[in-house]
Amino acid sequence: MMVHAIVGRGFSGNIFLVDAEKPCLIDTGWSPSIAYSARTMNECLNGRTLSSIILTHRHIDHVGGALAFMERFGGEILAHEIDAPPLIDGDQESTGAVMFGGELFPMPVRKLVGGEDIDLGGGEALRVIHTPGHTSGSMCLLGQGCLFSGDTVFADGGVGRWDLETGNYEELVASAEKLADMEFENLYPGHGPSVIGPAKEHVEMSLRHLKMIGRFG
Ligand SMILES: [Zn+2]
């Protein structure tokens, strides 16, 4: 699976362009990165359109570019059914737009529940994994040895915040446990560096950190 990482600038989350037969985007970053990201996507896609724009969760630093990219590059916007309504409604509070000082434009979203496979063509697919904790409708994507982890876990044992609206510590621990049980090689988180190579130990470290916080926090 060919993955182009467009590293988030400022508050903007990372964007991953999965260059499959049916290209898809995982997260979209946010202004002021949109113009820069669009240039990179333009070069990678080289005239092709996106099949889907998958959003790992509702926060504006991940979804703020979705509408602009859909209009420019095509693709259906997909999100978990719990995090989809604030995106469809343009809920400024729940998407963190108010907190970040931005504005979220309502967008059309097809709802996912977790467990489904998103077909990328050529025998490749991404499995949707519901991983609540950072938000109640957070999800990760797993396919061809790659885990796209949104804001659930990060490289080097990092973990997502659970103190924002709909965040939940116990759910985050359970989600990290679920991920630590899965098989993958590479980790592509929503912020910070990706891990190319044996990435499982990074997620196991995230789980240990979370449990430690529970004991002493
Ligand atoms: Zn987030």
Side-chain angles (χ1 to χ4, degrees), residues 57-62 100 134-135 138 150-151 161 164 191:
H57 64 290
R58 68 181 73 181
H59 288 149
I60 192 167
D61 52 330
H62 298 258
F100 280 108
H134 175 63
T135 65
S138 283
D151 281 0
R161 290 175 64 165
L164 302 171
H191 296 277

Side-chain angles (χ1 to χ4, degrees), residues 75-217:
E76 182 181 30
I77 299 175
L78 309 175
H80 190 272
E81 61 175 354
I82 298 173
D83 273 19
L87 303 174
I88 294 166
D89 299 340
D91 180 335
Q92 306 298 318
E93 283 287 345
S94 167
T95 56
V98 172
M99 184 178 76
F100 280 108
E103 185 181 359
L104 181 92
F105 300 101
M107 61 187 82
V109 179
R110 182 157 74 81
K111 296 175 185 173
L112 303 171
V113 294
E116 52 273 88
D117 286 325
I118 298 169
D119 177 33
L120 302 179
E124 294 188 309
L126 287 170
R127 168 69 50 91
V128 177
I129 307 157
H130 182 209
T131 50
H134 175 63
T135 65
S136 49
S138 283
M139 59 188 207
C140 296
L141 299 142
L142 180 71
Q144 276 71 47
C146 300
L147 177 69
F148 299 89
S149 62
D151 281 0
T152 299
V153 294
F154 305 110
D156 301 313
V159 298
R161 290 175 64 165
W162 59 87
D163 59 325
L164 302 171
E165 198 179 313
T166 80
N168 180 293
Y169 169 77
E170 282 77 22
E171 286 182 345
L172 191 58
V173 174
S175 292
E177 275 173 342
K178 199 193 276 190
L179 296 176
D181 278 342
M182 295 184 162
E183 292 304 322
F184 52 88
E185 275 293 304
N186 304 328
L187 176 68
Y188 296 100
H191 296 277
S194 301
V195 181
I196 308 301
K200 258 182 85 78
E201 59 196 69
H202 289 248
V203 176
E204 287 160 1
M205 211 189 312
S206 299
L207 180 58
R208 281 202 299 278
H209 283 162
L210 271 171
K211 288 185 169 170
M212 210 155 41
I213 291 161
R215 249 195 322 268
F216 301 114

